[in-house]
Amino acid sequence: MLSLRPNCECCDRDLPPENREAMICTFECTFCADCAEARLGGICPNCSGELVRRPVRPAAMLAKYPASTERVLKPQGCADGRAA
């Protein structure tokens, strides 16, 4: 089950579970659409995987399976789409 992380790892923008601008890779690294496109070129800087739109969990299921509250932030920021 997806953890639905609450923020962009690059800019720390809030990405609530219903947000359709959240992008993830297969490891659930999470970025806003602006950072994913403009800064990362659609490639995860952590694993080099493709960034795709994160699905929205239905409200009834969100109540039963809440989103994560753990914020993840890259302290060095995100310069480009190459894995570190």
Side-chain angles (χ1 to χ4, degrees), residues 6-50:
N7 67 304
C8 174
E9 288 185 30
C10 286
C11 70
D12 203 28
R13 175 180 165 191
D14 288 337
L15 296 171
E18 68 279 2
N19 190 302
R20 295 187 180 274
E21 301 274 320
M23 307 292 284
I24 62 171
C25 71
T26 60
F27 291 99
E28 293 189 64
C29 301
T30 304
F31 304 94
C32 67
D34 291 339
C35 287
E37 293 172 22
R39 298 173 86 179
L40 305 173
I43 303 297
C44 178
N46 302 322
C47 69
S48 298
E50 177 184 18

Side-chain angles (χ1 to χ4, degrees), residues 40-75:
L40 305 173
I43 303 297
C44 178
N46 302 322
C47 69
S48 298
E50 177 184 18
L51 294 171
V52 298
R53 191 178 73 78
R54 180 179 73 188
V56 173
R57 186 170 298 155
M61 290 291 102
L62 191 57
K64 187 173 181 179
Y65 302 102
S68 173
T69 58
E70 181 181 347
R71 297 180 82 83
V72 176
L73 186 62
K74 295 179 73 56

